[in-house]
Amino acid sequence: MDLSIIIVNYNVKEFLQNLIHSIIKAGDKLTYEIIIADNASDDGSVDFICEKFPNIKLFANKENLGFGKANNQGLAIAKGKYILLINPDTIVQEDTFTKMIEFFERTPDAGLAGCKILNPDGTLQLACRRSFPGPWTSFCKVTGLSSMFPKSRLFARYNLTYLNENETYEVDAISGSFMMMRKEVYDKVGGFDEQFFMYGEDLDLCFRIQKAGYKVYYVHDTQIIHYKGESTKRSSIDETKHFYNAMHLFVKKHLSSSLIVEAILQTAIGARKLLAFMGRIRIVLLSILMDFVFFNLSLYAASLIYAKYIHSSFKFPKQYILLVYTIPAIIHIFCASLLKIYKRNSFSVLQNFGAIILSFFIFSSITFFFKEYAYSRAVIIITYILLFFSLTFWRVFIRLFFIKGLKLNELLKKKTLIIGINDTALKIAVKLNENHGDIRKIVGLIGFTSKDIGKNVEGYEVVGTTENILKVIDEYGVNEVIFSSEEIPYTKMMSIVASCKNENVEFNIIGDNLDFLVGKSNVSLLDNVPLIGLHYNISKPLFKFIKNVFDYTLSIILLIFVYPFVLVSGKFSKEKSDFKIFISSLSEVLKGKKSLVGPRNKIEQQNLFFGKPGLTGLWYIEGIYDEERLNIFYAKNQNIWLDIEILSKTLNKMWSK
């Protein structure tokens, strides 16, 4: 037999079908066998292979064994003179097999070879020819020198970008997506090291083959297309973690001849991992840096204004300059972090105002006890007035001029995923689009098996599964996930919520009669019944603190400046309007019995706090709706800006009567 073709498949049935068809055409003049090891796909791959290609030798694994171990299953039974290891998300040319075999026939020292591998856009996939990650090579790759100087033999050794892709030559390593070897090489060297789950095993095999006296070649005469990463997109596997674990293992196994070499390589790998993490949170880092800079610019400007117009001799003490320009900014950043303003996928504008208010109260309280730092109340007030403009300006500026291809109103919309693909999920999507199309953008649906991915269900695309939802959230910048309670068990819901605890995503369940927030829930099981601890905004300590400060501050202002006029007008008119009742009831707020905004009456439901009774609320301005629903909506979404909006609409309604 000329050739044994081994494929490890995981949830890429459609790609696998195309590959098999291309193999049949390419193997027209050869004797060959196809061996597939399926790593517990749930997209129907196994049934498809059995039905359409019964002659294929199939390992239907019950669990994901990893790339190396699954390939070894095929290698153990391969009978061809040559063995090809190829990824399922590839397509080969009609001449690929014959050209590669011809190369081996005329190159007796070749033990392993790979062809030219193209991305779907026609560009060269750099991993198809590589060097081993030695100290200097790794340093250049990690620091970006290889990308800055792609034609330099000194800096671009890892991906060999200084070499002509249209020439054949010996290399250190080739890509695991296409590796052809002589059967005798496998018999001598063995297969993949199963310590590597995914990534790194191809480098390890290349290293061992060369150590056994054979050479590894990049062959330009033929090419394939590789749709890179299709399997990992459809899994819950953290490929970044596996990649760096593989690099650590490779270094430890092959390149630790001295402590210095190992230390350099491990440091380089660790630095690369840190850079990858920083890349994921770059928007968070940028937001923190910009807030720090603009806070101090505002503070500096406030000191100049104060010195010029109020107190000409004012200046901060030189010995405290460093503290003056670091501690206040850090306090503000801490407050912003508490309000979860710093998100990986967006720049928050409205929530930024809440952070300014909170840090103002904290900063003002602290400086009262540290007068030696020369803060004056006027400087603080001027600083925070400037902050309202400066911190808002840079966010809006970046959105308008640096986030291209999106309209501002699109950026402000919640990006929503709906879990489920049945009629209930579709009704939810339609209802949200009809009633809340101005504030939500439906990204797509989440199915339950990989075979659902890519389906179009009544105009909504299935973009992922419950297993890889984290990747979908990251890829699309999702802000909200909605469950269809008819289609998914509560235990599964809670598992998803727990897995997304660091994603700053809001979770909602929509059932037959009620829309309620799951949020970052605490879940316990009692006799196998999930008990969901619901945490509404209204019950969070920080939200309660801000609400109380707002209530007391505004009530005092209204009692001082508005209440006297209400008293005087009462002497001329005995008619009690809603506005007079509202102002006259402010004393209840100061006593702590009521809030400016809240439910009509005190509510206790399932040990949940819905807020103090309010002088006004959604029940007042939206009285035509179900009051219970409005109370739950308010408790879920309460924040200072919602309270201000409700108060504004309340006054409009009162004055229009």
Side-chain angles (χ1 to χ4, degrees):
M1 184 179 291
D2 296 320
L3 182 64
S4 293
I5 302 167
I6 300 172
I7 306 166
V8 175
N9 178 66
Y10 181 72
N11 285 330
V12 286
K13 180 179 68 175
E14 296 83 3
F15 290 92
L16 178 62
Q17 180 175 354
N18 289 335
L19 171 60
I20 293 173
H21 285 311
S22 69
I23 287 174
I24 292 171
K25 290 182 179 181
D28 185 44
K29 298 178 181 179
L30 301 172
T31 57
Y32 66 91
E33 64 178 349
I34 300 176
I35 305 169
I36 297 178
D38 184 86
N39 269 338
S41 297
D42 62 1
D43 67 345
S45 291
V46 171
D47 292 338
F48 160 75
I49 296 167
C50 293
E51 180 183 349
K52 299 292 185 181
F53 303 100
N55 294 327
I56 288 178
K57 298 175 182 177
L58 175 66
F59 292 91
N61 297 315
K62 301 300 182 184
E63 60 179 328
N64 191 339
L65 302 180
F67 182 77
K69 191 170 184 177
N71 264 305
N72 286 348
Q73 289 179 310
L75 286 165
I77 64 169
K79 298 178 181 178
K81 181 180 179 182
Y82 296 98
I83 298 173
L84 172 64
L85 308 175
I86 188 169
N87 277 17
D89 52 351
T90 58
I91 298 176
V92 300
Q93 287 186 171
E94 285 81 354
D95 66 352
T96 297
F97 300 156
T98 54
K99 286 285 182 69
M100 292 300 296
I101 290 175
E102 287 171 4
F103 170 78
F104 275 104
E105 296 292 340
R106 67 174 183 266
T107 315
D109 63 350
L112 180 69
C115 68
K116 182 190 291 187
I117 302 177
L118 302 180
N119 293 308
D121 63 358
T123 58
L124 183 72
Q125 204 163 99
L126 298 181
C128 67
R129 47 171 198 176
R130 291 177 286 174
S131 295
F132 293 127
W136 176 248
T137 303
S138 297
F139 175 79
C140 293
K141 179 68 175 174
V142 168
T143 58
L145 288 171
S146 58
S147 299
M148 294 171 61
F149 305 101
K151 300 300 181 183
S152 168
R153 287 181 175 270
L154 178 63
F155 298 122
R157 280 198 52 78
Y158 184 73
N159 286 125
L160 304 174
T161 47
Y162 59 86
L163 295 177
N164 188 345
E165 65 182 71
N166 294 315
E167 293 179 4
T168 295
Y169 31 75
E170 182 185 357
V171 294
D172 282 348
I174 56 176
S175 170
S177 58
F178 185 100
M179 306 180 88
M180 185 177 282
M181 72 175 87
R182 302 177 191 273
K183 178 69 160 57
E184 65 190 64
V185 173
Y186 166 70
D187 292 336
K188 183 175 182 179
V189 176
F192 288 115
D193 184 341
E194 295 179 7
Q195 292 181 83
F196 297 89
F197 182 79
M198 61 185 297
Y199 303 119
E201 60 277 286
D202 49 358
L203 285 175
D204 174 74
L205 183 61
C206 291
F207 192 95
R208 289 189 287 117
I209 285 175
Q210 291 175 66
K211 194 174 181 180
Y214 299 97
K215 292 184 178 181
V216 176
Y217 283 90
Y218 163 77
V219 180
H220 81 284
D221 293 333
T222 187
Q223 60 194 17
I224 68 168
I225 294 176
H226 181 205
Y227 298 88
K228 187 176 181 181
E230 289 300 324
S231 290
T232 55
K233 285 180 186 177
R234 305 181 185 206
S235 74
S236 58
I237 293 171
D238 185 344
E239 62 267 23
T240 303
K241 176 183 176 182
H242 282 291
F243 175 79
Y244 288 110
N245 286 344
M247 291 300 98
H248 278 289
L249 180 57
F250 181 84
V251 168
K252 183 178 180 180
K253 184 176 178 181
H254 296 300
L255 300 172
S256 57
S257 55
S258 73
L259 291 176
I260 295 177
V261 172
E262 184 176 8
I264 292 173
L265 286 170
Q266 297 289 15
T267 301
I269 292 169
R272 185 65 180 174
K273 192 171 184 178
L274 177 62
L275 288 174
F277 172 73
M278 291 178 67
R280 291 185 66 196
I281 63 168
R282 60 187 181 277
I283 290 181
V284 172
L285 297 175
L286 175 62
S287 297
I288 291 173
L289 176 62
M290 296 292 283
D291 279 358
F292 186 87
V293 170
F294 277 97
F295 187 100
N296 284 314
L297 287 175
S298 299
L299 179 59
Y300 178 69
S303 67
L304 294 179
I305 293 170
Y306 183 73
K308 184 173 183 179
Y309 296 104
I310 302 174
H311 197 303
S312 59
S313 62
F314 171 81
K315 60 181 179 180
F316 292 121
K318 289 184 179 180
Q319 65 270 30
Y320 298 131
I321 286 292
L322 182 61
L323 292 175
V324 164
Y325 285 105
T326 54
I327 301 302
I330 291 173
I331 289 172
H332 174 77
I333 290 169
F334 174 74
C335 293
S337 299
L338 286 178
L339 292 180
K340 299 181 180 178
I341 288 174
Y342 302 124
K343 300 178 181 178
R344 292 191 317 188
N345 49 29
S346 66
F347 295 105
S348 174
V349 176
L350 294 178
Q351 286 178 294
N352 174 60
F353 297 147
I356 292 172
I357 292 171
L358 178 60
S359 68
F360 171 76
F361 284 111
I362 294 176
F363 185 32
S364 300
S365 301
I366 291 175
T367 54
F368 181 80
F369 299 101
F370 296 94
K371 295 181 179 179
E372 67 270 21
Y373 291 94
Y375 287 109
S376 76
R377 293 176 183 176
V379 171
I380 295 172
I381 292 171
I382 296 170
T383 297
Y384 276 87
I385 291 173
L386 295 175
L387 279 181
F388 267 103
F389 295 98
S390 63
L391 297 190
T392 303
F393 167 78
W394 80 254
R395 285 173 165 82
V396 173
F397 181 82
I398 286 180
R399 282 184 163 190
L400 290 176
F401 296 100
F402 290 92
I403 304 178
K404 297 181 180 179
L406 287 174
K407 297 179 181 178
L408 186 59
N409 65 331
E410 288 294 316
L411 290 169
L412 295 174
K413 287 185 176 182
K414 278 186 179 179
K415 295 180 181 177
T416 301
L417 282 177
I418 298 174
I419 297 185
I421 56 175
N422 68 359
D423 290 341
T424 303
L426 290 173
K427 288 177 183 177
I428 292 169
V430 171
K431 184 176 179 182
L432 288 175
N433 267 335
E434 289 177 348
N435 298 335
H436 304 281
D438 57 330
I439 62 170
R440 280 188 174 87
K441 178 182 179 182
I442 308 298
V443 171
L445 307 178
I446 293 292
F448 302 100
T449 64
S450 296
K451 64 183 178 182
D452 295 328
I453 296 177
K455 287 182 179 178
N456 190 292
V457 185
E458 301 292 333
Y460 298 97
E461 183 183 357
V462 180
V463 294
T465 70
T466 52
E467 297 302 317
N468 74 339
I469 190 171
L470 271 174
K471 292 182 180 178
V472 177
I473 288 171
D474 281 341
E475 181 179 353
Y476 291 95
V478 171
N479 313 110
E480 179 184 49
V481 175
I482 295 177
F483 296 106
S484 167
S485 61
E486 289 187 359
E487 195 171 1
I488 181 170
Y490 283 97
T491 49
K492 184 64 175 177
M493 290 182 197
M494 296 304 100
S495 174
I496 293 171
V497 170
S499 69
C500 299
K501 61 186 177 182
N502 296 319
E503 296 300 313
N504 289 319
V505 175
E506 178 185 354
F507 291 88
N508 293 280
I509 303 173
I510 297 183
D512 290 337
N513 302 311
L514 187 63
D515 170 12
F516 60 94
L517 179 70
V518 177
K520 307 284 195 302
S521 304
N522 295 324
V523 181
S524 59
L525 291 177
L526 180 61
D527 296 330
N528 296 319
V529 178
L531 302 177
I532 309 169
L534 305 179
H535 297 283
Y536 295 166
N537 281 358
I538 195 72
S539 66
K540 294 178 181 178
L542 183 58
F543 282 74
K544 290 173 74 173
F545 172 76
I546 296 174
K547 184 173 177 63
N548 285 334
V549 170
F550 177 75
D551 280 352
Y552 291 131
T553 303
L554 185 57
S555 295
I556 290 171
I557 292 172
L558 291 174
L559 283 171
I560 293 173
F561 295 103
V562 179
Y563 184 66
F565 294 99
V566 172
L567 279 178
V568 172
S569 65
K571 295 183 181 294
F572 297 98
S573 173
K574 299 299 182 180
E575 181 183 350
K576 284 199 171 183
S577 66
D578 287 352
F579 180 71
K580 288 182 179 180
I581 294 172
F582 178 86
I583 297 298
S584 300
S585 302
L586 289 172
S587 59
E588 296 293 298
V589 177
L590 295 180
K591 292 176 183 177
K593 295 180 179 180
K594 289 190 175 183
S595 174
L596 290 175
V597 181
R600 189 195 303 266
N601 302 301
K602 186 176 181 181
I603 301 173
E604 290 290 343
Q605 180 178 320
Q606 298 177 358
N607 297 320
L608 294 175
F609 175 65
F610 283 77
K612 298 175 186 176
L615 303 186
T616 185
L618 290 173
W619 53 269
Y620 182 82
I621 62 174
E622 304 285 353
I624 60 173
Y625 292 105
D626 182 351
E627 190 168 319
E628 183 181 10
R629 279 176 170 271
L630 293 175
N631 288 335
I632 292 173
F633 176 85
Y634 176 73
K636 283 169 45 181
N637 300 285
Q638 188 276 327
N639 60 65
I640 190 68
W641 305 110
L642 180 59
D643 282 5
I644 292 172
E645 182 181 353
I646 292 172
L647 285 169
S648 175
K649 290 182 178 180
T650 294
L651 293 176
N652 285 333
K653 185 173 180 178
M654 288 176 177
W655 291 340
S656 64
K657 285 188 174 182

